[in-house]
Amino acid sequence: MATSGSYDYSVTAAQVIVAAMEDIGMLDPGQTINSNDQATCLRRLNFIAKQWQGNADMAQGLKIHTRQRVTVFLAKGQAQYLVGPAATDNHATTQYGRTTISAVEAAGQTTLSITAITDTTTYPGTTVTMTAADKIGIVQTDGTLFWTTISSTGAGPTVIVNDALSVGAAAGAYVYWYTSRAARFVDCEASVLRNADIVDVGLPVFTDVKQYEEGISNKTQQGDPIKLLIEPLRLNTRVTTDFYPQDVTKQLRLTVMYPAEDYDAVADDIAFPQEWFAALEWELALRICPTFGASWTPEMDKNYQQATAIARELNPENTSAYYQPNREELY
C-alpha cells in the first residue's frame, strides 16, 4: 500500500476543542459541540497559547517555532523604544528593505530618486520590494532618520512619499522601508548592534530594572549602545539603551520569542508545529475539566503527561532543565 507522501497535516482550533471534549467524556465521537461550549473552550485555548509563550516554562528552546529576528531602528539622541502594535513613534519590524538615495534631495522634496525599489542584500535569498503604504525612513544630512509613508513608486526609479523631507538627503544616503510593525515580544534570547556593512557586535541584555539602574552610572552619554534593558509591558516591549545613539545607520537586531498567535475563530489553524497538537489537546482537556464538571482520571493524566513530555523534549539541546509538580493531587 502506498503512503500519502504528504507532510502538511494541520488542525483547526475547532478540532482541538472537539478532541479535548471527547477526552473528558463531554462529547461522544461524531457528536456536534454546541456554540456556547465551543466559545468557552476557545477562550481556554487562547489562555493556553498565551501562557505557552516565551520561556515562562523555563525552556525557551521548546518554542523555536516562535523565534523571530526583530530590527529596531535607532533614532538620533533617543534611548528608549517601544516595540509592538501600540507603538506609534518607534520603528521595529521583522523584515525590512534597504537602498540609497541616488541624487541629492533638498528639504521639501516628496519625490525621491533612489537606487532601487527592491533589496536582496538585507535578507540574502529574499527580495523585499517597496509597496504603497509601507513605512519609509531616509537618513538626512543632519544625521536624523526621517520617517514617512510610501505613496507610490515610479520609473527612474523614484519613490513618492507622503511627507516632505524636513532637512534634505545626500546622494548615497541610506533609505529603509518595511511593511508591518513587529509585535510585542515576551523574551529576548540575543541582541546585537548591526552596522551598515551588516557586521554585528553583541550587546548584553539587562533582565531587570535594578541591574540597569545600578549598572549604568551615566545614562546621558552619547554613542553606540553597548547594553540594553528590555521590559515586556502590557501592550509593547520597551527597549532602553545605555547610550544616546548618534549613528542611525546602525540598528538593534534582536532574536526574540514572538507571542503566540490569537485564535479569533474556531476555524483558525493551530499555529504550533505538528508535534504540539496532542499536547494542546490534553492541556485543553485538563483546563476545561473543572468547567464541565468532569473527573480527571489517572488514565487521562497519563495521556497528558506523555503528550506534553514528548512535545517538550523535541529539542533537548536547546532546552534548560525544568521541574513539574507531582500531579497525584489531581486524581
Side-chain angles (χ1 to χ4, degrees), residues 304-319:
Y304 168 83
Q305 297 282 2
Q306 184 179 51
T308 53
I310 291 173
R312 287 174 183 273
E313 294 169 8
L314 180 67
N315 296 293
E317 72 279 8
N318 297 309
T319 303

Side-chain angles (χ1 to χ4, degrees), residues 259-301:
E261 289 187 28
D262 302 341
Y263 296 104
D264 297 323
V266 293
D268 291 343
D269 284 337
I270 293 298
F272 279 75
Q274 295 167 329
E275 57 270 15
W276 281 89
F277 293 167
L280 279 169
E281 168 199 352
W282 279 102
E283 183 71 31
L284 181 59
L286 175 66
R287 302 289 183 98
I288 63 176
C289 206
T291 303
F292 292 100
S295 298
W296 188 251
T297 67
E299 187 64 29
M300 290 177 184
D301 201 67

Side-chain angles (χ1 to χ4, degrees), residues 230-249:
I230 295 181
E231 304 167 280
L233 307 178
R234 188 174 73 90
L235 298 177
N236 298 294
T237 297
R238 182 165 56 207
V239 179
T240 305
T241 62
D242 59 338
F243 281 71
Y244 280 74
Q246 300 299 303
D247 187 351
V248 297
T249 68

Side-chain angles (χ1 to χ4, degrees), residues 101-106 109 113 169-172:
I101 295 290
S102 60
V104 174
E105 299 290 357
Q109 288 288 91
S113 299

Side-chain angles (χ1 to χ4, degrees), residues 1-66:
M1 180 179 293
T3 61
S4 69
S6 64
Y7 305 92
D8 58 354
Y9 180 74
S10 182
V11 293
T12 64
Q15 290 171 313
V16 171
I17 289 169
V18 167
M21 289 288 279
E22 290 174 346
D23 290 338
I24 63 172
M26 291 292 104
L27 204 65
D28 292 329
Q31 185 179 355
T32 302
I33 187 172
N34 70 59
S35 58
N36 289 334
D37 290 347
Q38 191 176 64
T40 296
C41 292
L42 185 63
R43 283 194 296 273
R44 299 295 193 280
L45 183 61
N46 272 289
F47 294 165
I48 293 167
K50 297 305 178 182
Q51 192 173 43
W52 282 4
Q53 56 188 16
N55 65 348
D57 56 5
M58 303 302 293
Q60 63 265 36
L62 306 177
K63 316 294 170 35
I64 287 175
H65 63 282
T66 70

Side-chain angles (χ1 to χ4, degrees), residues 50-266:
K50 297 305 178 182
Q51 192 173 43
W52 282 4
Q53 56 188 16
N55 65 348
D57 56 5
M58 303 302 293
Q60 63 265 36
L62 306 177
K63 316 294 170 35
I64 287 175
H65 63 282
T66 70
R67 184 176 290 154
Q68 290 277 10
R69 271 72 181 183
V70 170
T71 297
V72 180
F73 291 95
L74 298 174
K76 188 175 181 179
Q78 180 177 322
Q80 197 168 92
Y81 303 83
L82 296 177
V83 179
T88 58
D89 61 341
N90 298 299
H91 297 273
T93 185
T94 57
Q95 187 176 72
Y96 70 94
R98 184 183 72 172
T99 188
T100 57
I101 295 290
S102 60
V104 174
E105 299 290 357
Q109 288 288 91
T110 57
T111 300
L112 309 176
S113 299
I114 56 176
T115 304
I117 63 169
T118 61
D119 175 35
T120 59
T121 61
T122 311
Y123 299 90
T126 301
T127 300
V128 184
T129 303
M130 287 185 181
T131 305
D134 283 356
K135 297 294 184 182
I136 184 170
I138 303 99
V139 178
Q140 300 187 122
T141 54
D142 65 350
T144 61
L145 188 54
F146 175 80
W147 286 98
T148 181
T149 304
I150 295 176
S151 175
S152 62
T153 58
T158 59
V159 58
I160 301 171
V161 298
N162 288 350
D163 303 300
L165 292 179
S166 61
V167 176
Y174 283 112
V175 175
Y176 308 95
W177 74 92
Y178 67 90
T179 300
S180 302
R181 292 184 186 274
R184 167 192 176 271
F185 57 87
V186 294
D187 185 51
C188 180
E189 293 187 311
S191 63
V192 298
L193 183 67
R194 173 165 292 185
N195 69 15
D197 295 322
I198 314 183
V199 176
D200 298 334
V201 175
L203 300 178
V205 174
F206 289 108
T207 57
D208 60 51
V209 175
K210 183 178 180 180
Q211 287 181 322
Y212 173 79
E213 294 296 345
E214 296 180 355
I216 306 298
S217 58
N218 185 353
K219 300 179 177 64
T220 61
Q221 299 177 91
Q222 296 183 354
D224 290 342
I226 59 174
K227 295 179 181 178
L228 303 176
L229 170 66
I230 295 181
E231 304 167 280
L233 307 178
R234 188 174 73 90
L235 298 177
N236 298 294
T237 297
R238 182 165 56 207
V239 179
T240 305
T241 62
D242 59 338
F243 281 71
Y244 280 74
Q246 300 299 303
D247 187 351
V248 297
T249 68
K250 297 179 179 180
Q251 298 92 35
L252 300 179
R253 174 84 162 179
L254 310 178
T255 301
V256 307
M257 306 306 287
Y258 232 44
E261 289 187 28
D262 302 341
Y263 296 104
D264 297 323
V266 293

